Amino acid sequence: MSDTSAPQAAVALPIQIHAQYVKDLSFENPRAPASLQPQNEPPRIEVNVDVQAAKVADNDLYEVTLRVTASGTSAGEQLFLAELSYGGLFTLQGVPQDSLHPVLLIECPRLLFPFARAIVADVTRDGGFPPLLIQPVDFAAMFRQSASAGAAAASTTPTVAPATDGSILPPES
């Protein structure tokens, strides 16, 4: 009979988070105070999320950045515009080269997203609007869509190389 009350040894995960931070945050309320008055129609809200990753150092240290843009319009006029770049520094240990892109562009943003979501909710609330609660994002679907768009140019075993825009791209064929 085994003793189930004995503590289990901690298992080190391959992802370590060193820091999370706001890289850039902007909120515009161009029509205030008129934009804060009751509207005849509900506002149209549009949210866009982008993920970028870049190797920062030779020791498997990567920066992953979530870029969130949220805008509200009513009767064709801008109510608000919120733009957030939220970053995280991650060390990936023991991640096979062929799994590097999925970990950086799916798992790392999944860890950052709740914090970025809270910042957008706070800034829209502080701007005088109801807090904008962004729905969960399927980063795996975003990755698959991006991968299928670039499948013709991607090699079978991509290596990580920083692009000029900071995103991680497969090497040129």
Side-chain angles (χ1 to χ4, degrees), residues 1 7 23 29 32 34 36 38 49 68 75 97-98 101 111 114 117 119 124 126 138 140 145 159-160 168:
M1 197 156 104
K23 291 183 72 164
N29 189 352
L36 303 175
V49 177
V68 179
Q97 190 69 22
D98 63 342
H101 283 91
L111 295 169
R117 180 180 190 259
I119 292 167
T124 53
D126 292 347
D138 186 348
Q145 181 180 5
T159 58
V160 176
I168 290 184

Side-chain angles (χ1 to χ4, degrees), residues 55-70:
K55 191 168 189 174
V56 181
D58 290 334
N59 60 351
D60 296 329
L61 182 66
Y62 297 89
E63 178 186 50
V64 176
T65 305
L66 277 179
R67 293 191 175 156
V68 179
T69 303

Side-chain angles (χ1 to χ4, degrees), residues 146-172:
S146 175
S148 66
S155 68
T156 57
T157 56
T159 58
V160 176
T164 56
D165 67 353
S167 62
I168 290 184
L169 300 175
E172 294 291 325

